Amino acid sequence: KMCFRGFKGILKISGDILPPFYNQYVRLFMSACIYQFTTSEYPAPSVTTVSGSGYNYPEPNYRANMSMNVNSSSPGTSWLRYYYTKNRLNLVSSSITGVSGAGWTATITGVGTVVKTTNGVTTTTPGCTFTARVTEGGPDAFGIEIRKPDGTPYYSDGLRTVSGGNYTTMCGLP
């Protein structure tokens, strides 16, 4: 079993490479040296690192940006930021509490501070929890749910395709 950048699966090499009974597909991009392989016997490994930045438009003319560098093996140095122009809502993480993956979508949980400006009045709310979802490829997408310290909803936007930017998910060995 092995895992490296650009590889989205687990490669098992034995005496018979790619026997016909495997439910599989193999894509080889010679110019990019990227190999992709999946089988029903070996599921895709869990996501442990998510990085990148991107933007989309939850409503026309109102841009949302999300950037992050999250690594489950070093949550103390991981971070996530989200900004939505319509609400002038800015979330900056203070800690990342979890990273998990299903398919090529990563879910990142954490705690952070929300700064929001409404009618010229700025409010700061520390201790908000968030759940962000990021999908790599086909195309990239992101979404977020932010909750107030008491657990009530603060802001939410579902998974939306990015208009620009790029996210990368890296796999960890199971």
Side-chain angles (χ1 to χ4, degrees), residues 15-131:
D16 295 317
I17 297 175
L18 306 178
F21 57 84
Y22 282 97
N23 174 17
Q24 67 206 10
Y25 68 95
V26 176
R27 294 189 319 179
L28 173 61
F29 298 96
M30 293 301 288
S31 62
C33 297
I34 297 173
Y35 300 88
Q36 183 171 336
F37 177 88
T38 62
T39 73
S40 57
E41 182 181 358
Y42 296 100
S46 62
V47 172
T48 57
T49 301
V50 186
S51 62
S53 67
Y55 66 91
N56 62 25
Y57 294 91
E59 291 186 36
N61 302 317
Y62 294 106
R63 185 170 164 160
N65 301 292
M66 184 184 293
S67 58
M68 80 271 312
N69 188 5
V70 177
N71 187 324
S72 62
S73 65
S74 59
T77 60
S78 297
W79 56 270
L80 180 139
R81 293 182 182 99
Y82 178 81
Y83 181 74
Y84 183 37
T85 58
K86 180 178 182 182
N87 296 344
R88 294 189 180 141
L89 181 141
N90 188 36
L91 167 73
V92 177
S93 67
S94 53
S95 69
I96 301 298
T97 57
V99 178
S100 62
W104 307 117
T105 299
T107 301
I108 304 157
T109 57
V111 178
T113 298
V114 172
V115 177
K116 183 176 178 181
T117 303
T118 306
N119 299 323
V121 177
T122 300
T123 58
T124 301
T125 310
C128 293
T129 58
F130 64 86
T131 301

Side-chain angles (χ1 to χ4, degrees), residues 3-7 33-34 51 166 168 170:
C3 182
F4 53 90
R5 185 176 180 94
F7 182 76
C33 297
I34 297 173
S51 62
N166 185 52
T168 302
M170 306 281 277

Side-chain angles (χ1 to χ4, degrees), residues 129-148:
T129 58
F130 64 86
T131 301
R133 291 189 318 146
V134 177
T135 298
E136 177 190 6
D140 289 3
F142 70 83
I144 192 165
E145 177 185 87
I146 303 170
R147 293 187 169 272
K148 296 176 184 176

